[in-house]
Amino acid sequence: MDLSKIAVSINKAINTQEVAVKEKHARTCILGTHHEKGAHTFWAAVNRLPLSSNAVLCWKFCHVFHKLLRDGHPNVIKDSMRNKADLADMSRMWGHLSEGYGKLCSIYLKLLITKMEFHIKNPRFPGNLQMSNRQLEEAGENDVNNFFQLTVEMFDYLECELNLFLGVFSSLDMSRSVSVTAAGQCRLAPLIQVILDCSHLYDYTVKLLFKLHSCLPADTLQGHRDRFHEQFKKLKSLFYRSSNLQYFKRLIQIPQLPENPPNFLRASALSEHVSPVVVIPAESSSPESEHVVETDDLVDTDVPTLPAPSETKFDDLFGTSAAIDPFNFNSQNGMRKDDKDRLIEQLTREIQALKEELESFRLESGRLCQALRGRVNELEAELAEQSHLRLQAAGESEFLRAELDDLRRVREDTEKEQRSLTEIEKKAQANEQRYTKLKEKYTELVQSHADLLRKNAEVTRQMTVARAAQDEVETVRREMQEKVKTAQEAADRQEREQLKQLQELQRELMSTQSELDSLKTTMASSQQTSSEVLGTQLVALESEKAELAQTLSKVEAELEVQGEELRRIQSSLATERESGVKTAEALQNQLNEKESREQALESQLEAARWSGLQGAVEEAERIVHDSLAQIDDPAHISCTSSADYLASRCQASLDCIERLRRAREAFSADNTAVTELVRVVTQCGHLVGDTIVQGSATSHMVPVEQADALSESVKLCGAEALALLGHMKRRDGLSAATDSKLRAALEAILAAAEKLRPRGLELQQGELGDLVEQEMAATSAAVESAAARIEEMLNKSRAVDTGIKMEVNERILASCTELMQAIKELVLSSKDLQRDIVESGRGAASMKEFYAKNSRWTEGLISASKAVGWGATVMVDAADLVVQGKGKFEELMVCSREIAASTAQLVAASKVKADKDSTNLRRLQQASRGVTQATAAVVASTKSGKSQIEETETMDFSSMTLTQIKRQEMDSQVLVLELETRLQKERERLGELRKKHYELAGASEGWGEEEEGTG
């Protein structure tokens, strides 16, 4: 097989189109591995693909690679282990994405790595996992420790398979027919390989667990059983969901797992285990080959025809016809029949008609008996159904009793919690009287706030539980009423139908009796008028009559038995109806009692809500009073603060005032919404108190006139806050309280803080916080753009250059690509570390406020990010010129060193506020070492390329004369002196530039300035 054809098939199978991989291309790749007995061609083609930049491309690569691991040559696994580290890095990179193909690629790559490690560690297992029981026994080498470890590895292997299964299903919108779309099939196609692996892994796991249970105690294997049961539930659910998808129905026949997992504690259960077999169905057969049902196999539903009544003529009884009777003298003489002969013929016809009527009566009686038997069977089935309904109602009543017991226990727990809360409040009040110092008092106030929040959360939880229990009991009551009503209506309807059928049967019996009476009368008249010739016939008729009478008596006896059964059923239905009514009344009484208890509990909850709100308002008043008291404290005079921080506190207070207004409106509309109001009241007290303290501290650093105005505004703010909280302590004043005066006071403080802010700030708080994110995003974009440009230059160089130049260009651009990847990893690690720093240091403030408060550190981050992005762009430009033959190798080396310095600055800026034990800090340091190594690689490849190119330009002086050589020597000496002079000047210029850069950086980032404290 041609290797170029294999490479073309690989590129066709792994592309960026969001469609499923075509089987013919995947089959060509598999045959190629068998042809070359390895996967060298496959990895040579894959390494040129941008798997790290396109998620769909990486997803289809994973699908094709999975097929090769299963069905390719056995050496594919060994050849692929060389790329294990690259696959692990790619998995971590895609794992940063939380949705789409990125997360799926990360999970799939972890599965492939686990599969390779499993087969390398257990070489007896082929890639497709198909083994006989004997081979499975040999894999454990008759050592229970080996079987134990092999089972654990199979659990890990199956866990990775199930994670991919769940990831694909969670990424699909199952409300639409995603399996018929190209995008849905692209995600579902790899699951065929996963289903094949899971079926074998499940089978081997069951057999190994039975093997272990025969050798080890059951307690030792408890963890194995728990893990197997968890994976069994997941695998059964996933197999069931997959079998319902239209896409899989025509490609694969998915087995269904048993209803319950195997019982490993019973050794004989192994014989009940059925290995799941996944079948790849063949092409559908043609319609002509479909099985045709033979007519002989059909069931004959025709009623067999009854033999027709015999045409018994007079001649059959008394001989041949009169025409040939030698004793018929009337016929011989040509005389007409007399009256006696006509009478005999008439009686014969009447007897024949009676026989036909008797036969029809016999058939009708048999049909009625069959119908009555069917009706009896129906009544028995209805009786069984009624008994089942009665048992079900009894079970539901037991369930309701259990629910009521649970509610009683919940009420007792609620009372205990109330008593414990009362004790906690008493302890808190005692602590308030014990502490006198300001800092300790402030700590005690915060603790009291936390207690109130917990109390409010507990009250809310109790209220939710009570409401849910009430709704559940109400639903059960309605269901029981509907069931009782339905059962009663069904019983009445059945009783009416049975009475109607009995009446019809009685009417039919009466009509049958009348017919028998008429037959008896006819027979009596016939006996009086018949002659002795009809004696034999009359005896036969009498015997038939006796048989009919006996049959009639049997039918009447059966009807009597059925009547008794019907009366017994009616009595049992009446008894069940009475018991159902009594049960419903008892449940109704229990529900009424529960409603009364719930009303009492609701009133207690409402009182608890109001007491919780009052506690929060009093807590806020104490905080404001404490802040006003700190203003007059002589120890507070030494405390200072900045106008920036005061402005941020004022803005946060204004936002909290707006939230307080909305919470008060919500509480006025619905008094159950007390949680948010308690939380906002306490937070508002803290923020207003903090604003008062920070305003007083700021006034210590400004001129006297501005300090007096700021102090008055702060005191006015405290007074308005106390007035608002005083209104909120009354029920009637909660909705009527207005916050306009407090808002005006805070706005006045905010305006004064804005006037006091230094005019030299070029960025506002929001702009500074946004600028950090923008610069980090711009740096990432610059690195991505640089990597894309390097890839484009590499492709152009391969198409244009040849020989040593192409080799040098490829080596330089490859080292540049590695440097870009290292920078990308560094930027991602820096983002994660900055996020940790902000989350751990901002406290209750927002992210933008944190950046504004630490503006010097933020500006250092912005400067470092700009330097990294600029260095990446300049290095790509220098590399482009070098590849085109227009640039200098020295420029590329300088750019790489500059990037190393910029990344070092970014690392130093990120480490300033980081925790030394932070995981992200270690990742950042490791990424920094990677950038340093990649920079050294760029410099080394550049120097090597430069030396290779210079070696090709050999100096040929064979055609020059002595005079020309002397002239060239003098010119070279002059050029050396000029270059040395220029080198000295450039070094001096470089020193001045670095000095100036240091001064400008210090001025822009505020080095040497004193930080303003907050006291």
Side-chain angles (χ1 to χ4, degrees):
M1 182 178 291
D2 191 6
L3 296 180
S4 61
K5 183 179 179 181
I6 299 175
V8 171
S9 297
I10 293 172
N11 291 327
K12 288 184 178 180
I14 306 174
N15 52 43
T16 58
Q17 297 178 0
E18 195 174 2
V19 295
V21 176
K22 292 186 177 180
E23 284 296 325
K24 61 179 182 179
H25 300 321
R27 194 179 305 113
T28 303
C29 297
I30 294 171
L31 294 176
T33 61
H34 288 281
H35 176 73
E36 67 171 352
K37 295 181 174 55
H40 300 290
T41 304
F42 174 76
W43 283 108
V46 167
N47 287 332
R48 292 194 293 268
L49 298 176
L51 299 179
S52 300
S53 60
N54 192 306
V56 176
L57 191 69
C58 184
W59 177 254
K60 299 182 78 172
F61 155 74
C62 293
H63 184 191
V64 175
F65 185 38
H66 197 174
K67 281 180 171 289
L68 294 183
L69 291 177
R70 280 187 52 83
D71 303 325
H73 194 272
N75 290 334
V76 171
I77 299 175
K78 298 178 182 178
D79 296 340
S80 302
M81 284 299 293
R82 304 168 186 169
N83 300 275
K84 175 185 171 183
D86 296 335
L87 296 179
D89 294 338
M90 196 184 307
S91 174
R92 287 193 295 271
M93 189 271 292
W94 285 118
H96 293 292
L97 300 180
S98 59
E99 58 184 5
Y101 279 97
K103 191 67 175 179
L104 296 178
C105 289
S106 177
I107 298 173
Y108 207 168
L109 288 169
K110 290 179 182 177
L111 168 60
L112 296 176
I113 294 171
T114 303
K115 183 177 181 66
M116 290 191 297
E117 292 175 348
F118 177 84
H119 289 289
I120 290 296
K121 191 172 183 180
N122 303 280
R124 294 178 183 265
F125 285 82
N128 55 10
L129 294 174
Q130 293 181 0
M131 296 181 67
S132 64
N133 292 336
R134 183 179 60 82
Q135 292 173 335
L136 185 62
E137 288 284 339
E138 293 175 354
E141 299 177 354
N142 291 328
D143 188 352
V144 69
N145 295 322
N146 294 341
F147 284 116
F148 191 93
Q149 183 61 28
L150 183 59
T151 306
V152 174
E153 294 173 0
M154 284 190 176
F155 279 143
D156 297 337
Y157 193 175
L158 185 57
E159 187 71 27
C160 294
E161 302 275 3
L162 295 176
N163 289 338
L164 180 60
F165 228 134
L166 293 172
V168 172
F169 274 112
S170 61
S171 67
L172 296 175
D173 185 6
M174 304 307 291
S175 62
R176 298 185 291 114
S177 299
V178 294
S179 64
V180 298
T181 62
Q185 292 177 3
C186 182
R187 299 192 184 195
L188 291 173
L191 294 186
I192 296 177
Q193 311 301 317
V194 176
I195 292 171
L196 293 171
D197 287 345
C198 288
S199 63
H200 292 298
L201 289 174
Y202 167 76
D203 185 24
Y204 300 156
T205 305
V206 172
K207 295 176 180 177
L208 289 176
L209 283 176
F210 274 111
K211 181 73 174 178
L212 289 175
H213 279 79
S214 66
C215 302
L216 296 175
D219 295 338
T220 305
L221 300 172
Q222 181 63 41
H224 280 51
R225 290 197 299 274
D226 295 341
R227 193 171 182 185
F228 174 81
H229 290 161
E230 180 182 0
Q231 293 183 353
F232 175 84
K233 294 178 182 178
K234 293 181 181 179
L235 186 60
K236 180 181 177 183
S237 174
L238 294 172
F239 273 9
Y240 177 74
R241 293 175 65 183
S242 302
S243 62
N244 293 330
L245 292 179
Q246 188 66 30
Y247 175 69
F248 288 118
K249 289 182 179 179
R250 63 183 181 85
L251 295 177
I252 188 172
Q253 182 178 348
I254 302 174
Q256 295 299 325
L257 299 183
E259 185 67 23
N260 297 315
N263 185 7
F264 300 107
L265 302 179
R266 186 167 56 90
S268 61
L270 179 59
S271 60
E272 303 172 1
H273 170 65
V274 179
S275 300
V277 179
V278 180
V279 179
I280 305 296
E283 295 295 329
S284 300
S285 59
S286 60
E288 290 80 2
S289 64
E290 293 180 356
H291 176 64
V292 180
V293 180
E294 297 294 339
T295 57
D296 295 339
D297 298 333
L298 298 177
V299 179
D300 187 8
T301 58
D302 294 337
V303 179
T305 59
L306 296 173
S310 61
E311 299 289 339
T312 308
K313 300 297 184 180
F314 184 79
D315 293 337
D316 296 333
L317 297 174
F318 299 97
T320 57
S321 62
I324 60 175
D325 188 1
F327 298 99
N328 191 350
F329 300 102
N330 292 333
S331 175
Q332 292 178 359
N333 297 331
M335 297 176 62
R336 300 178 60 185
K337 297 179 179 180
D338 56 4
D339 294 338
K340 187 176 181 179
D341 294 333
R342 287 193 297 271
L343 180 60
I344 290 172
E345 292 178 357
Q346 181 180 359
L347 290 174
T348 303
R349 288 191 298 270
E350 291 178 355
I351 290 171
Q352 183 64 35
L354 289 174
K355 287 183 178 180
E356 293 177 357
E357 290 180 359
L358 286 173
E359 186 66 29
S360 64
F361 177 74
R362 185 184 296 111
L363 296 175
E364 185 67 20
S365 299
R367 186 184 62 80
L368 289 176
C369 291
Q370 188 68 24
L372 289 174
R373 291 190 187 96
R375 183 56 187 165
V376 169
N377 294 332
E378 292 178 359
L379 291 175
E380 290 176 353
E382 291 176 359
L383 179 62
E385 184 178 359
Q386 291 294 331
S387 301
H388 175 69
L389 292 175
R390 182 182 61 186
L391 294 175
Q392 186 176 3
E396 292 178 353
S397 63
E398 290 294 333
F399 176 73
L400 287 175
R401 292 191 187 96
E403 289 291 331
L404 290 174
D405 294 337
D406 293 339
L407 289 175
R408 292 191 187 97
R409 287 194 295 271
V410 170
R411 186 185 63 182
E412 294 174 358
D413 295 339
T414 304
E415 293 175 355
K416 292 180 181 179
E417 292 293 335
Q418 290 289 346
R419 288 193 295 270
S420 63
L421 286 175
T422 304
E423 295 176 358
I424 292 174
E425 290 178 353
K426 291 179 180 179
K427 292 180 181 179
Q429 292 176 359
N431 289 332
E432 289 177 5
Q433 297 174 359
R434 191 177 300 113
Y435 294 107
T436 55
K437 294 184 180 180
L438 293 176
K439 186 174 182 180
E440 294 176 354
K441 183 177 181 181
Y442 183 77
T443 305
E444 183 268 332
L445 291 174
V446 173
Q447 182 65 31
S448 177
H449 171 220
D451 292 339
L452 288 173
L453 289 179
R454 285 194 296 271
K455 178 181 177 182
N456 177 59
E458 183 67 25
V459 170
T460 305
R461 185 184 65 80
Q462 294 172 1
M463 180 181 62
T464 305
V465 171
R467 187 178 292 108
Q470 181 180 1
D471 295 341
E472 185 176 359
V473 172
E474 184 66 24
T475 304
V476 172
R477 184 182 66 182
R478 287 197 298 269
E479 291 179 355
M480 287 297 301
Q481 291 177 353
E482 291 177 358
K483 290 181 179 178
V484 171
K485 184 177 180 182
T486 304
Q488 188 173 2
E489 291 177 354
D492 295 340
R493 184 168 59 254
Q494 292 176 359
E495 184 178 359
R496 288 195 298 270
E497 291 177 355
Q498 292 171 358
L499 290 175
K500 185 177 179 181
Q501 291 176 359
L502 284 176
Q503 292 174 0
E504 291 179 357
L505 291 175
Q506 291 175 359
R507 284 196 297 272
E508 291 176 358
L509 288 174
M510 293 297 294
S511 63
T512 305
Q513 189 68 33
S514 63
E515 290 178 359
L516 287 174
D517 294 339
S518 64
L519 288 174
K520 291 178 181 179
T521 305
T522 306
M523 290 297 296
S525 62
S526 299
Q527 288 175 358
Q528 294 174 2
T529 58
S530 298
S531 61
E532 295 179 356
V533 180
L534 299 176
T536 306
Q537 297 177 357
L538 291 176
V539 171
L541 291 174
E542 284 293 336
S543 62
E544 291 180 1
K545 183 178 72 173
E547 292 177 358
L548 290 175
Q550 186 178 3
T551 305
L552 181 61
S553 63
K554 291 181 180 179
V555 171
E556 289 177 351
E558 291 178 356
L559 289 176
E560 184 66 24
V561 171
Q562 293 175 1
E564 291 294 334
E565 183 69 20
L566 179 61
R567 285 190 292 274
R568 185 178 63 81
I569 292 173
Q570 289 176 352
S571 63
S572 64
L573 287 176
T575 304
E576 291 179 359
R577 189 184 301 112
E578 292 176 358
S579 64
V581 171
K582 292 179 180 179
T583 303
E585 291 177 355
L587 291 175
Q588 184 66 35
N589 295 332
Q590 294 177 1
L591 289 174
N592 294 333
E593 294 177 0
K594 183 180 179 303
E595 288 178 356
S596 61
R597 290 196 300 269
E598 288 177 353
Q599 290 177 359
L601 183 60
E602 185 66 27
S603 61
Q604 295 177 3
L605 289 176
E606 185 176 358
R609 293 191 204 103
W610 180 253
S611 63
L613 178 60
Q614 291 301 308
V617 173
E618 293 174 359
E619 182 73 17
E621 285 184 341
R622 285 196 292 270
I623 292 173
V624 175
H625 277 300
D626 179 64
S627 300
L628 292 174
Q630 288 188 29
I631 297 176
D632 300 330
D633 192 349
H636 183 65
I637 297 176
S638 61
C639 297
T640 58
S641 181
S642 63
D644 292 335
Y645 188 65
L646 176 60
S648 65
R649 294 293 87 196
C650 287
Q651 188 61 46
S653 300
L654 288 172
D655 296 339
C656 189
I657 292 298
E658 181 63 25
R659 287 176 55 203
L660 177 62
R661 182 185 61 79
R662 292 195 298 267
R664 285 193 293 111
E665 293 176 354
F667 182 76
S668 299
D670 183 11
N671 59 359
T672 59
V674 71
T675 305
E676 182 65 20
L677 183 58
V678 170
R679 185 183 298 110
V680 173
V681 165
T682 309
Q683 185 178 7
C684 184
H686 279 292
L687 291 175
V688 171
D690 195 13
T691 303
I692 294 172
V693 173
Q694 298 299 329
S696 177
T698 305
S699 64
H700 299 158
M701 299 182 61
V702 299
V704 178
E705 296 180 356
Q706 296 177 348
D708 294 341
L710 184 58
S711 299
E712 292 297 329
S713 300
V714 166
K715 292 179 180 178
L716 179 62
C717 176
E720 295 298 337
L722 292 175
L724 177 61
L725 294 174
H727 285 294
M728 291 180 62
K729 293 174 66 175
R730 302 190 306 273
R731 288 181 180 269
D732 54 350
L734 182 62
S735 58
T738 177
D739 56 2
S740 58
K741 294 182 179 179
L742 178 58
R743 188 184 300 274
L746 288 172
E747 290 176 351
I749 297 175
L750 179 60
E754 290 294 338
K755 292 179 181 179
L756 295 174
R757 294 181 65 180
R759 300 301 179 184
L761 291 176
E762 298 177 358
L763 297 173
Q764 299 296 329
Q765 293 180 3
E767 295 176 355
L768 188 61
D770 294 338
L771 188 58
V772 175
E773 300 295 333
Q774 292 173 4
E775 287 300 329
M776 296 301 291
T779 302
S780 299
V783 173
E784 292 286 348
S785 176
R789 284 187 60 191
I790 290 173
E791 185 69 23
E792 182 181 356
M793 286 188 288
L794 184 58
N795 294 333
K796 289 181 179 180
S797 175
R798 289 172 179 170
V800 177
D801 299 330
T802 58
I804 294 177
K805 186 174 182 182
M806 183 180 70
E807 180 183 354
V808 170
N809 291 341
E810 285 186 352
R811 189 160 58 247
I812 292 175
L813 293 178
S815 61
C816 291
T817 303
E818 293 177 358
L819 179 58
M820 290 299 106
Q821 292 296 333
I823 294 174
K824 181 179 178 181
E825 182 68 24
L826 179 72
V827 173
L828 292 176
S829 302
S830 178
K831 285 183 178 180
D832 294 338
L833 182 59
Q834 292 171 25
R835 191 179 301 111
D836 290 346
I837 293 171
V838 173
E839 291 298 330
S840 61
R842 65 186 180 94
S846 64
M847 184 180 295
K848 294 181 179 180
E849 292 173 355
F850 179 81
Y851 280 129
K853 185 177 180 181
N854 300 274
S855 58
R856 304 304 183 195
W857 175 71
T858 303
E859 289 171 359
L861 284 179
I862 295 172
S863 176
S865 299
K866 286 182 178 180
V868 172
W870 174 83
T873 304
V874 173
M875 191 191 75
V876 172
D877 294 336
D880 191 7
L881 294 176
V882 169
V883 171
Q884 294 177 5
K886 301 178 181 178
K888 298 180 181 179
F889 290 97
E890 289 79 4
E891 293 181 0
L892 190 58
M893 289 188 286
V894 170
C895 291
S896 62
R897 291 193 177 101
E898 185 64 27
I899 287 177
S902 301
T903 54
Q905 181 184 355
L906 180 60
V907 171
S910 300
K911 287 172 57 179
V912 170
K913 292 183 174 293
D915 185 6
K916 63 179 181 179
D917 296 329
S918 174
T919 304
N920 288 323
L921 177 59
R922 289 194 291 271
R923 285 183 53 201
L924 179 64
Q925 293 173 345
Q926 185 177 359
S928 176
R929 289 191 290 270
V931 172
T932 304
Q933 294 174 1
T935 303
V938 171
V939 174
S941 60
T942 304
K943 290 182 178 179
S944 176
K946 179 181 178 182
S947 62
Q948 278 186 318
I949 293 177
E950 288 177 351
E951 288 175 0
T952 58
E953 298 174 357
T954 57
M955 300 180 184
D956 186 9
F957 303 116
S958 59
S959 60
M960 297 178 64
T961 63
L962 178 62
T963 306
Q964 292 174 344
I965 291 175
K966 188 65 176 177
R967 181 61 181 268
Q968 291 290 337
E969 181 182 356
M970 294 177 64
D971 293 340
S972 297
Q973 291 179 355
V974 172
L975 183 59
V976 167
L977 293 175
E978 290 178 354
L979 291 176
E980 288 178 351
T981 305
R982 287 181 58 191
L983 176 62
Q984 183 65 27
K985 291 182 179 180
E986 289 298 328
R987 284 178 175 170
E988 294 176 357
R989 185 170 180 270
L990 177 61
E992 294 295 329
L993 287 174
R994 287 179 175 174
K995 183 177 179 182
K996 189 63 177 177
H997 177 268
Y998 183 80
E999 293 176 356
L1000 292 176
S1004 62
E1005 298 182 9
W1007 297 344
E1009 295 182 3
E1010 294 182 357
E1011 294 289 339
E1012 294 179 356
T1014 59

